[in-house]
Amino acid sequence: MRRRALTMLRRPAMTTVFLEAAILALVVLDVWLVVPQRAQSYSFYLSGISCLAVLLRRRFPFLALLMAVPGFFAGWAQLASMFTLGMVAARRQLAWQTWVGAALVFTCRFVSWPFSEFTKLTWREHILDGIYGVLVAGMPVALALLLGARQEIAAKLAELAKSRDRERRLYADAIRAEERARLAREMHDVVSHQITLIAMQAGALQAQAKEGPALETARVIRGLSRRTLEELRSLVSVLRSGAEEDDPRPGIGELDHLIRTADVPVRLTVEQLPDTLPSQVSAAAYRTVQECLTNVHKHAPGATATIRIQAGSGALDIEVENERARRSGERLPSGGHGLTGLAERARLLGGSFETSGTENGGFRVRARYPLELATITPPSTAAQ
């Protein structure tokens, strides 16, 4: 029985049919219980029409009320008139249809049919019928107005909840915008200044060096400094605007230049690469290789890095593996955020990111980026 009730609640149409059948049975029972043994035939017909009018109250509430009133006045369909009046009040609230309907129902309860019997009533009975008329006509209207007020309050509360959600989002956006502006200032005032000094020092070294490894090293440092400044300016503009980066970003087509300037021995294998890649995937592939080569240079000096890039099964697979360090080197500072940023980028693109050690003491990074991207949440600044 409980399972059947739950099934009906999940099906609004079935619930409506069951409710209408129950109401129809109730109004018919109300007429049948009070019908006298001897009555005029037209009273039966009018009462039957009143009962059927209940079925029309949802689509034509005022018309259903007008059809039900004669059966109440010259018959016994009191509940039918009350149900139709309640629907009119629920739809129209305090409009003129509600007042007219309430007056008709009150008249049907106060005035007795035939009039010969009405004139025989005492003044006490008239007062009592008036009280019952107010109750019969006022109760459906009061309940309908109460339900209408409840729905209005629920709508206001829902609107208030949406307004609060919008305020929270706006507040969070304001906090993020302030934080982005602060980061942009710090990056511009501190990092950009330091990189500019590095570029100037590399330029001075390049001017002093005549030839040999020193000249080539100065050129590489100066080129990397310029490139870093360009990317830093682009990132600062993104942080200040709060929008997704629109400027061209380095992609998989620039891996050759990255590998040549990485100062890390690299074995690169590219298989089944499509002609075009989504810009987000291309930039993610570039950043993955860039971060891995940077880590090899910092943590495994002299080790060879093996890069495998393959497109298949609707995704771009990247694997970067390096041997253990072959020589000791100066330990460079590391915040540990690079791999975390790559993992966040892969998650935002709907892909995967894995890291693990190798049997020979090296390190392996695997990333997978889908080639067909759905709606993507803008990456956080950590993943830029």
Side-chain angles (χ1 to χ4, degrees), residues 148-165:
R150 181 179 180 275
Q151 293 176 355
E152 185 176 356
I153 292 175
K156 293 293 184 181
L157 290 176
E159 184 178 354
L160 180 61
K162 291 181 180 180
S163 177
R164 289 180 177 176
D165 291 339

Side-chain angles (χ1 to χ4, degrees), residues 255-270 289-290 292-294 296-297 300 302-309 318-323 326:
L255 284 181
D256 292 338
H257 181 269
L258 175 64
I259 292 173
R260 287 196 304 268
T261 59
D263 196 22
V264 174
V266 175
R267 291 194 296 267
L268 176 63
T269 303
V270 180
V289 175
Q290 182 186 46
C292 291
L293 294 182
T294 301
V296 172
H297 182 73
T304 300
T306 302
I307 304 174
R308 303 181 186 88
I309 302 177
I318 301 175
E319 179 178 319
V320 182
E321 181 180 338
N322 64 271
E323 305 169 344
R326 292 184 176 273

Side-chain angles (χ1 to χ4, degrees), residues 19-345:
L19 181 61
E20 292 297 316
I23 292 177
L24 180 61
L26 186 62
V27 297
V28 170
L29 183 63
D30 174 61
V31 173
W32 179 68
L33 290 176
V34 296
V35 171
Q37 294 182 353
R38 294 181 180 181
Q40 298 294 332
S41 59
Y42 65 84
S43 298
F44 291 101
Y45 294 130
L46 292 177
S47 298
I49 293 174
S50 298
C51 294
L52 295 178
V54 173
L55 302 177
L56 300 177
R57 76 188 190 284
R58 292 183 180 271
R59 297 191 62 183
F60 310 102
F62 191 65
L63 176 62
L65 176 62
L66 295 179
M67 294 173 59
V69 164
F72 184 19
F73 183 76
W76 310 276
Q78 176 176 311
L79 279 183
S81 299
M82 294 176 67
F83 275 117
T84 54
L85 175 60
M87 183 58 67
V88 171
R91 296 287 179 84
R92 301 295 182 178
Q93 293 295 294
L94 292 177
W96 65 269
Q97 293 92 336
T98 302
W99 293 108
V100 171
L104 291 175
V105 173
F106 171 81
T107 302
C108 293
R109 182 62 183 83
F110 178 73
V111 179
S112 302
W113 180 262
F115 286 110
S116 58
E117 295 183 3
F118 177 71
T119 57
K120 295 178 181 179
L121 298 177
T122 64
W123 66 272
R124 296 178 182 272
E125 292 174 327
H126 284 305
I127 293 177
L128 186 61
D129 287 339
I131 294 174
Y132 280 117
V134 171
L135 293 177
V136 170
M139 183 167 46
V141 175
L143 291 177
L145 294 178
L146 181 61
L147 291 177
R150 181 179 180 275
Q151 293 176 355
E152 185 176 356
I153 292 175
K156 293 293 184 181
L157 290 176
E159 184 178 354
L160 180 61
K162 291 181 180 180
S163 177
R164 289 180 177 176
D165 291 339
R166 287 194 298 268
E167 290 179 0
R168 282 195 290 265
R169 287 195 297 268
L170 291 175
Y171 179 74
D173 291 341
I175 295 297
R176 285 194 293 267
E178 183 180 353
E179 184 66 17
R180 285 195 299 265
R182 186 186 66 81
L183 290 175
R185 289 193 300 269
E186 293 294 330
M187 293 178 66
H188 180 272
D189 297 341
V190 179
V191 182
S192 178
H193 176 69
Q194 298 295 336
I195 296 177
T196 302
L197 292 178
I198 293 173
M200 294 174 60
Q201 294 295 329
L205 180 61
Q206 182 178 353
Q208 294 177 2
K210 301 300 182 181
E211 58 183 7
L215 179 60
E216 182 63 24
T217 301
R219 289 177 179 174
V220 171
I221 294 175
R222 186 173 177 82
L224 290 175
S225 300
R226 288 180 176 177
R227 188 177 183 85
T228 303
L229 276 175
E230 293 175 359
E231 294 187 3
L232 185 61
R233 292 191 186 99
S234 176
L235 182 57
V236 168
S237 65
V238 171
L239 287 174
R240 288 193 177 278
S241 64
E244 192 172 354
E245 187 176 353
D246 295 327
D247 298 333
R249 292 172 288 184
I252 200 170
E254 301 182 63
L255 284 181
D256 292 338
H257 181 269
L258 175 64
I259 292 173
R260 287 196 304 268
T261 59
D263 196 22
V264 174
V266 175
R267 291 194 296 267
L268 176 63
T269 303
V270 180
E271 300 178 2
Q272 302 177 359
L273 195 64
D275 296 335
T276 58
L277 287 173
S279 60
Q280 298 97 328
V281 174
S282 182
Y286 180 89
R287 296 302 185 191
T288 301
V289 175
Q290 182 186 46
E291 179 64 25
C292 291
L293 294 182
T294 301
N295 288 340
V296 172
H297 182 73
K298 288 164 50 175
H299 305 297
T304 300
T306 302
I307 304 174
R308 303 181 186 88
I309 302 177
Q310 181 179 2
S313 302
L316 182 68
D317 295 313
I318 301 175
E319 179 178 319
V320 182
E321 181 180 338
N322 64 271
E323 305 169 344
R324 61 182 176 182
R326 292 184 176 273
R327 66 172 186 267
S328 59
E330 182 181 359
R331 185 173 182 84
L332 299 175
S334 175
H337 302 297
L339 296 179
T340 302
L342 292 179
E344 292 177 353
R345 185 187 293 270

